[in-house]
Amino acid sequence: MKIKNWFCAIQIIVFFLCNSAQSAELKVYIAEYPPFQVLSEKGDHSGFSVELFNEIVKLSHLDVEYIPVPWVRAQALVAEQKNSLLFTMAKTPEREELYRWVATIYVVNEGVFSLKSRTDLSINTLDDVHRYSIALPRGDVSVKTLNIFPNNTKGVYIVEHQEQCMKMLNLGRVDLNYNNDVGFFIAAKMLGFNRDKFTQIFTTGQTEMGIVANKNSNPENLRKISQALLILKKNGIYNKIQRKWFTDSIDKEFDSIKL
């Protein structure tokens, strides 16, 4: 009898857990991308975007489920699934057609990075990148920005994570990496690299980083997210989280970004 009771109790617990996950208003897909997302096997994920979104959830009272997946998978799932979103994504015209842009949470300077010791490298235009070897993360906007496929694949190494790209650059296995100033230098610090060893050899321009959602997501929920972000900007919590994660980055004024 006791075994039967325990079995019934387990079934009830599983039932409620499953229904709890299924009833989440929003599925939030996140991928490893320091300092914006720093994932943990224990589930206590951190990073600028994760902490910021946790505060957004508190204000908006939304029921969300965090789902850590690889970046390429996250993009595909959000494009397909209603009431799903992901962060942190770089804003491009192509992505605006595919997703609903919910809010800009940061601005970065994108460009090409190399070892400072490589004085032999000369990058004056993006086309010059094709003369050197480069490491890029799979599914990253840089693949399109640099016009890698189908004609410029020589010397291109596509790997799973930006951290792998940086490790290859640090070891001299590739000449270049395409990244942004915030992600590159803070990730270098987290990896234990001396940031003075690297330089941004070419800058392509500023890029908005933000939250995107499936186009069929509940517009009221997305409005709540945007409004909560405005409140966090006004009450100082946004700036507090920003200072925590971007102490080594160049100061940027979020006020200049239209949400």
Side-chain angles (χ1 to χ4, degrees), residues 163-232:
E163 291 72 28
Q164 291 175 268
C165 299
M166 296 180 63
K167 289 177 181 178
M168 293 174 70
L169 181 63
N170 183 61
L171 293 171
R173 292 179 56 191
V174 292
D175 301 318
L176 307 169
N177 170 230
Y178 191 94
N179 208 322
N180 65 72
D181 54 348
V182 173
F184 185 91
F185 287 113
I186 293 183
K189 180 179 179 181
M190 294 177 70
L191 289 167
F193 301 155
N194 181 356
R195 60 174 293 163
D196 293 332
K197 184 178 180 179
F198 307 96
T199 185
Q200 186 165 0
I201 193 172
F202 183 78
T203 302
T204 56
Q206 288 193 323
T207 298
E208 293 179 46
M209 307 292 286
I211 304 167
V212 302
N214 178 277
K215 285 195 168 185
N216 295 316
S217 298
N218 185 333
E220 178 59 20
N221 288 340
L222 303 186
R223 186 194 67 79
K224 288 180 180 179
I225 292 172
S226 298
Q227 289 300 310
L229 182 59
L230 285 172
I231 294 171
L232 294 172

Side-chain angles (χ1 to χ4, degrees), residues 2-237:
K2 288 184 178 180
I3 294 176
K4 185 177 180 180
N5 289 339
W6 273 109
F7 180 73
C8 290
I10 292 171
Q11 284 185 311
I12 292 171
I13 292 171
V14 171
F15 173 81
F16 280 110
L17 286 174
C18 291
N19 278 281
S20 175
Q22 291 172 357
S23 64
E25 292 177 280
L26 279 172
K27 291 184 181 295
V28 180
Y29 292 98
I30 53 175
E32 181 77 13
Y33 185 27
F36 298 100
Q37 292 98 238
V38 181
L39 305 190
S40 165
E41 292 182 358
K42 298 179 180 179
D44 52 340
H45 312 306
S46 61
F48 169 75
S49 302
V50 175
E51 287 196 19
L52 182 63
F53 199 77
N54 285 339
E55 295 297 331
I56 289 173
V57 170
K58 290 178 185 177
L59 286 175
S60 61
H61 303 291
L62 289 171
D63 180 21
V64 304
E65 177 189 6
Y66 287 105
I67 306 173
V69 294
W71 178 242
V72 175
R73 181 64 177 155
Q75 294 181 75
L77 288 168
V78 174
E80 298 168 359
Q81 292 184 359
K82 182 179 179 180
N83 294 321
S84 63
L85 61 81
L86 69 81
F87 53 75
T88 308
M89 177 175 274
K91 190 176 188 179
T92 67
E94 294 79 12
R95 286 173 169 175
E96 285 188 277
E97 290 183 7
L98 189 59
Y99 307 100
R100 168 79 179 274
W101 189 264
V102 180
T104 296
I105 60 175
Y106 210 70
V107 178
V108 296
N109 294 304
E110 285 199 349
V112 182
F113 293 79
S114 71
L115 293 174
K116 193 176 288 186
S117 61
R118 292 295 305 275
T119 56
D120 57 306
L121 303 178
S122 178
I123 307 291
N124 297 307
T125 69
L126 285 181
D127 287 338
D128 292 337
V129 172
H130 302 143
R131 296 190 286 124
Y132 305 103
S133 61
I134 188 168
L136 303 171
R138 193 180 309 279
D140 190 71
V141 66
S142 58
V143 175
K144 183 172 179 61
T145 300
L146 298 175
N147 190 27
I148 295 299
F149 296 111
N151 299 319
N152 299 300
T153 57
K154 186 178 180 181
V156 176
Y157 297 86
I158 304 296
V159 298
E160 289 302 318
H161 304 293
Q162 190 65 270
E163 291 72 28
Q164 291 175 268
C165 299
M166 296 180 63
K167 289 177 181 178
M168 293 174 70
L169 181 63
N170 183 61
L171 293 171
R173 292 179 56 191
V174 292
D175 301 318
L176 307 169
N177 170 230
Y178 191 94
N179 208 322
N180 65 72
D181 54 348
V182 173
F184 185 91
F185 287 113
I186 293 183
K189 180 179 179 181
M190 294 177 70
L191 289 167
F193 301 155
N194 181 356
R195 60 174 293 163
D196 293 332
K197 184 178 180 179
F198 307 96
T199 185
Q200 186 165 0
I201 193 172
F202 183 78
T203 302
T204 56
Q206 288 193 323
T207 298
E208 293 179 46
M209 307 292 286
I211 304 167
V212 302
N214 178 277
K215 285 195 168 185
N216 295 316
S217 298
N218 185 333
E220 178 59 20
N221 288 340
L222 303 186
R223 186 194 67 79
K224 288 180 180 179
I225 292 172
S226 298
Q227 289 300 310
L229 182 59
L230 285 172
I231 294 171
L232 294 172
K233 180 187 172 186
K234 290 178 180 178
N235 66 15
I237 292 179

Side-chain angles (χ1 to χ4, degrees), residues 240-255:
K240 181 180 179 181
I241 298 172
Q242 181 189 38
R243 286 194 300 270
K244 174 182 177 180
W245 288 97
F246 300 140
T247 52
D248 289 336
S249 65
I250 301 172
D251 291 336
K252 296 179 177 66
E253 288 295 333
F254 192 66
D255 291 332

